[in-house]
Amino acid sequence: MRSRVRPALVVAGSAGAAVLVLVAPGNLVMRLAFGKLGDPALAWQLLLTAMGLLLALATVRYGARTAARPPERRADGTVRPARWAGVVTWVAAGVPVLGFSVPHLLWGLGVPFGVAPDSVPGLAALRGSAVFWGLLVAGPLAGAFLTLGLISRWGQVVPGWVPLAGGRRVPPGLAVVPAVVVGLLVGQYGAMMTKCLAFGITRTCAPDGGTQVLDGSWGFAGTYPVFLLWGVALLGAAAGYLHTSRREEPV
Protein backbone atom coordinates (compact mmCIF):
# COMPACT_ATOMS: atom_id res chain seq x y z
CA MET A 1 0.00 0.00 0.00
CA ARG A 2 2.83 2.38 0.88
CA SER A 3 4.35 1.95 -2.59
CA ARG A 4 1.11 3.33 -4.05
CA VAL A 5 0.53 6.08 -1.52
CA ARG A 6 3.96 7.68 -1.84
CA PRO A 7 3.88 8.40 -5.61
CA ALA A 8 0.27 9.56 -5.32
CA LEU A 9 1.21 12.05 -2.61
CA VAL A 10 4.26 13.27 -4.53
CA VAL A 11 2.26 13.76 -7.73
CA ALA A 12 -0.58 15.48 -5.89
CA GLY A 13 1.80 17.76 -4.01
CA SER A 14 3.72 18.65 -7.17
CA ALA A 15 0.56 19.35 -9.16
CA GLY A 16 -0.95 21.42 -6.37
CA ALA A 17 2.24 23.44 -6.00
CA ALA A 18 2.40 24.07 -9.75
CA VAL A 19 -1.18 25.38 -9.80
CA LEU A 20 -0.58 27.62 -6.81
CA VAL A 21 2.65 29.18 -8.06
CA LEU A 22 1.93 29.39 -11.80
CA VAL A 23 -1.82 29.52 -12.46
CA ALA A 24 -3.54 30.87 -9.36
CA PRO A 25 -1.50 34.13 -9.11
CA GLY A 26 -2.79 35.21 -12.54
CA ASN A 27 -1.11 38.39 -13.74
CA LEU A 28 1.26 38.79 -10.78
CA VAL A 29 4.35 39.10 -12.99
CA MET A 30 2.79 41.82 -15.16
CA ARG A 31 1.52 43.60 -12.06
CA LEU A 32 5.01 43.73 -10.57
CA ALA A 33 6.72 44.55 -13.87
CA PHE A 34 4.52 47.60 -14.43
CA GLY A 35 4.63 48.83 -10.85
CA LYS A 36 0.98 48.26 -9.98
CA LEU A 37 1.83 47.71 -6.33
CA GLY A 38 -1.25 49.40 -4.97
CA ASP A 39 -3.68 46.85 -6.32
CA PRO A 40 -5.42 45.05 -3.42
CA ALA A 41 -5.17 41.73 -5.33
CA LEU A 42 -1.37 41.80 -5.06
CA ALA A 43 -1.27 40.53 -1.46
CA TRP A 44 -3.53 37.60 -2.35
CA GLN A 45 -1.42 36.71 -5.39
CA LEU A 46 1.78 36.78 -3.32
CA LEU A 47 0.13 34.64 -0.64
CA LEU A 48 -0.88 32.00 -3.21
CA THR A 49 2.66 31.93 -4.60
CA ALA A 50 4.14 31.55 -1.11
CA MET A 51 1.72 28.72 -0.30
CA GLY A 52 2.71 26.95 -3.50
CA LEU A 53 6.40 27.24 -2.71
CA LEU A 54 5.86 25.87 0.80
CA LEU A 55 3.86 22.95 -0.60
CA ALA A 56 6.61 22.26 -3.13
CA LEU A 57 9.25 22.30 -0.40
CA ALA A 58 7.23 19.94 1.77
CA THR A 59 6.69 17.60 -1.19
CA VAL A 60 10.42 17.53 -2.01
CA ARG A 61 11.31 16.86 1.61
CA TYR A 62 8.77 14.04 1.84
CA GLY A 63 9.96 12.52 -1.43
CA ALA A 64 13.60 12.58 -0.35
CA ARG A 65 12.96 11.08 3.08
CA THR A 66 10.75 8.26 1.81
CA ALA A 67 12.82 7.30 -1.22
CA ALA A 68 13.14 3.52 -1.47
CA ARG A 69 16.70 3.50 -2.78
CA PRO A 70 19.71 4.94 -0.96
CA PRO A 71 21.44 7.85 -2.71
CA GLU A 72 23.91 6.80 -5.38
CA ARG A 73 27.26 8.53 -5.03
CA ARG A 74 29.88 9.32 -7.64
CA ALA A 75 33.57 8.53 -7.17
CA ASP A 76 34.19 12.03 -5.79
CA GLY A 77 31.48 11.66 -3.15
CA THR A 78 28.85 13.84 -4.77
CA VAL A 79 25.31 12.47 -5.01
CA ARG A 80 24.05 11.36 -8.39
CA PRO A 81 20.62 12.95 -9.03
CA ALA A 82 17.56 10.76 -9.40
CA ARG A 83 16.63 9.91 -12.97
CA TRP A 84 13.53 12.14 -12.93
CA ALA A 85 15.66 15.07 -11.76
CA GLY A 86 18.06 14.55 -14.65
CA VAL A 87 15.26 14.38 -17.21
CA VAL A 88 13.43 17.49 -16.02
CA THR A 89 16.69 19.45 -15.78
CA TRP A 90 17.64 18.61 -19.36
CA VAL A 91 14.17 19.70 -20.42
CA ALA A 92 14.60 22.96 -18.51
CA ALA A 93 17.91 23.54 -20.30
CA GLY A 94 16.71 22.54 -23.75
CA VAL A 95 13.34 24.31 -23.93
CA PRO A 96 14.64 27.91 -23.89
CA VAL A 97 17.36 27.08 -26.41
CA LEU A 98 15.15 25.28 -28.92
CA GLY A 99 12.00 27.29 -28.29
CA PHE A 100 13.48 30.75 -27.83
CA SER A 101 17.14 31.11 -28.85
CA VAL A 102 16.79 29.23 -32.14
CA PRO A 103 13.70 31.15 -33.39
CA HIS A 104 15.24 34.47 -32.38
CA LEU A 105 18.49 33.50 -34.10
CA LEU A 106 16.54 32.83 -37.30
CA TRP A 107 14.67 36.12 -37.00
CA GLY A 108 17.91 37.99 -36.41
CA LEU A 109 19.33 36.43 -39.57
CA GLY A 110 16.27 37.55 -41.49
CA VAL A 111 14.61 34.14 -41.78
CA PRO A 112 10.81 34.69 -41.49
CA PHE A 113 10.19 31.59 -39.39
CA GLY A 114 6.53 31.72 -38.35
CA VAL A 115 6.34 35.45 -39.13
CA ALA A 116 3.49 37.13 -40.97
CA PRO A 117 4.45 39.02 -44.16
CA ASP A 118 3.58 42.38 -42.58
CA SER A 119 6.11 41.78 -39.80
CA VAL A 120 8.99 40.58 -42.01
CA PRO A 121 10.44 44.08 -42.67
CA GLY A 122 10.79 44.59 -38.94
CA LEU A 123 13.21 41.66 -38.69
CA ALA A 124 15.95 43.71 -40.36
CA ALA A 125 16.05 46.03 -37.34
CA LEU A 126 17.07 43.14 -35.10
CA ARG A 127 20.40 42.49 -36.79
CA GLY A 128 22.15 45.50 -35.31
CA SER A 129 20.74 45.18 -31.80
CA ALA A 130 23.30 44.08 -29.20
CA VAL A 131 20.49 43.64 -26.67
CA PHE A 132 18.66 41.30 -29.03
CA TRP A 133 21.69 39.08 -29.64
CA GLY A 134 22.92 39.19 -26.06
CA LEU A 135 19.64 38.83 -24.19
CA LEU A 136 17.30 36.92 -26.48
CA VAL A 137 19.76 34.68 -28.36
CA ALA A 138 22.79 34.19 -26.08
CA GLY A 139 20.91 34.67 -22.80
CA PRO A 140 18.95 31.39 -22.91
CA LEU A 141 22.14 29.54 -23.92
CA ALA A 142 23.92 30.84 -20.82
CA GLY A 143 20.87 30.00 -18.74
CA ALA A 144 20.85 26.45 -20.11
CA PHE A 145 24.48 25.95 -19.09
CA LEU A 146 23.77 27.17 -15.55
CA THR A 147 20.65 25.00 -15.37
CA LEU A 148 22.68 21.88 -16.11
CA GLY A 149 24.74 22.73 -13.03
CA LEU A 150 21.76 21.54 -10.98
CA ILE A 151 22.62 17.95 -11.93
CA SER A 152 26.40 18.33 -12.32
CA ARG A 153 29.25 17.77 -9.90
CA TRP A 154 30.12 21.47 -9.94
CA GLY A 155 26.58 22.18 -8.80
CA GLN A 156 27.33 20.42 -5.52
CA VAL A 157 31.04 21.11 -5.03
CA VAL A 158 32.91 24.17 -6.29
CA PRO A 159 35.58 23.06 -8.84
CA GLY A 160 39.08 22.95 -7.43
CA TRP A 161 40.44 25.54 -9.87
CA VAL A 162 38.18 28.27 -8.43
CA PRO A 163 40.27 30.54 -6.16
CA LEU A 164 39.43 30.49 -2.44
CA ALA A 165 36.17 28.54 -2.83
CA GLY A 166 37.51 25.49 -4.72
CA GLY A 167 36.48 22.18 -3.13
CA ARG A 168 33.79 23.68 -0.89
CA ARG A 169 30.19 22.57 -0.87
CA VAL A 170 27.84 24.76 -2.86
CA PRO A 171 25.14 26.22 -0.58
CA PRO A 172 21.82 24.84 -1.90
CA GLY A 173 20.24 28.28 -1.80
CA LEU A 174 22.87 29.64 -4.18
CA ALA A 175 21.64 27.28 -6.88
CA VAL A 176 17.96 26.98 -6.00
CA VAL A 177 16.94 30.60 -5.40
CA PRO A 178 17.89 31.91 -8.87
CA ALA A 179 16.24 28.90 -10.53
CA VAL A 180 13.04 29.40 -8.55
CA VAL A 181 12.92 33.15 -9.21
CA VAL A 182 13.42 32.74 -12.96
CA GLY A 183 11.03 29.77 -13.04
CA LEU A 184 8.32 31.83 -11.33
CA LEU A 185 8.80 34.82 -13.62
CA VAL A 186 8.77 32.96 -16.92
CA GLY A 187 6.26 30.34 -15.77
CA GLN A 188 3.65 32.76 -14.44
CA TYR A 189 4.01 34.99 -17.50
CA GLY A 190 3.76 31.97 -19.81
CA ALA A 191 0.72 30.58 -17.99
CA MET A 192 -1.11 33.91 -18.14
CA MET A 193 -0.34 34.64 -21.80
CA THR A 194 -0.97 31.06 -22.93
CA LYS A 195 -4.41 31.23 -21.33
CA CYS A 196 -5.07 34.56 -23.01
CA LEU A 197 -3.85 33.18 -26.33
CA ALA A 198 -5.99 30.06 -26.03
CA PHE A 199 -9.13 32.09 -25.38
CA GLY A 200 -8.33 34.72 -28.00
CA ILE A 201 -8.06 37.57 -25.50
CA THR A 202 -4.33 38.27 -25.72
CA ARG A 203 -4.83 41.97 -26.39
CA THR A 204 -6.67 42.40 -23.13
CA CYS A 205 -3.79 40.80 -21.23
CA ALA A 206 -0.91 42.73 -22.83
CA PRO A 207 -0.56 46.39 -21.86
CA ASP A 208 -1.08 49.16 -24.41
CA GLY A 209 -2.34 46.74 -27.09
CA GLY A 210 1.17 45.57 -27.84
CA THR A 211 0.17 42.30 -29.45
CA GLN A 212 -0.83 43.37 -32.96
CA VAL A 213 2.41 41.76 -34.10
CA LEU A 214 0.85 38.37 -33.31
CA ASP A 215 -1.57 38.60 -36.24
CA GLY A 216 -0.62 35.69 -38.48
CA SER A 217 2.72 35.20 -36.72
CA TRP A 218 2.47 31.79 -35.07
CA GLY A 219 6.22 31.90 -34.40
CA PHE A 220 5.81 34.91 -32.10
CA ALA A 221 2.70 33.50 -30.42
CA GLY A 222 4.47 30.18 -29.86
CA THR A 223 6.89 31.77 -27.42
CA TYR A 224 4.12 31.98 -24.80
CA PRO A 225 3.75 28.20 -24.32
CA VAL A 226 7.55 28.02 -24.38
CA PHE A 227 7.68 30.34 -21.37
CA LEU A 228 5.15 28.16 -19.56
CA LEU A 229 6.99 24.90 -20.27
CA TRP A 230 10.31 26.52 -19.40
CA GLY A 231 8.98 27.73 -16.05
CA VAL A 232 7.45 24.37 -15.14
CA ALA A 233 10.64 22.50 -16.07
CA LEU A 234 12.92 24.97 -14.29
CA LEU A 235 10.92 24.77 -11.08
CA GLY A 236 11.03 20.99 -11.42
CA ALA A 237 14.81 21.16 -11.87
CA ALA A 238 15.09 23.24 -8.71
CA ALA A 239 13.00 20.65 -6.88
CA GLY A 240 15.30 17.94 -8.24
CA TYR A 241 18.34 19.77 -6.90
CA LEU A 242 16.71 20.11 -3.48
CA HIS A 243 15.83 16.42 -3.59
CA THR A 244 19.48 15.61 -4.25
CA SER A 245 20.64 17.94 -1.46
CA ARG A 246 18.17 16.45 1.01
CA ARG A 247 19.44 12.96 0.27
CA GLU A 248 22.89 14.04 1.31
CA GLU A 249 21.57 14.61 4.81
CA PRO A 250 21.16 11.76 7.32
CA VAL A 251 17.58 10.55 7.42
Side-chain angles (χ1 to χ4, degrees), residues 131-144:
V131 173
F132 173 83
W133 291 104
L135 184 62
L136 302 182
V137 177
L141 290 170

Side-chain angles (χ1 to χ4, degrees), residues 53-124:
L53 291 176
L54 289 175
L55 178 58
L57 184 61
T59 301
V60 170
R61 186 177 182 85
Y62 169 78
R65 289 188 172 274
T66 58
R69 298 180 180 180
E72 181 181 351
R73 294 187 179 274
R74 302 185 180 100
D76 58 2
T78 58
V79 176
R80 192 180 301 279
R83 181 174 298 178
W84 68 265
V87 171
V88 74
T89 302
W90 273 102
V91 172
V95 165
V97 174
L98 298 177
F100 204 79
S101 284
V102 171
H104 281 77
L105 173 63
L106 294 175
W107 296 333
L109 296 175
V111 179
F113 174 72
V115 177
D118 292 344
S119 299
V120 171
L123 298 180

Side-chain angles (χ1 to χ4, degrees), residues 11 14 57 60 78 94 98 116 119 151 155 196 200 226 230 234 245:
V11 170
S14 301
L57 184 61
V60 170
T78 58
L98 298 177
S119 299
I151 54 172
C196 292
V226 167
W230 183 10
L234 190 53
S245 300

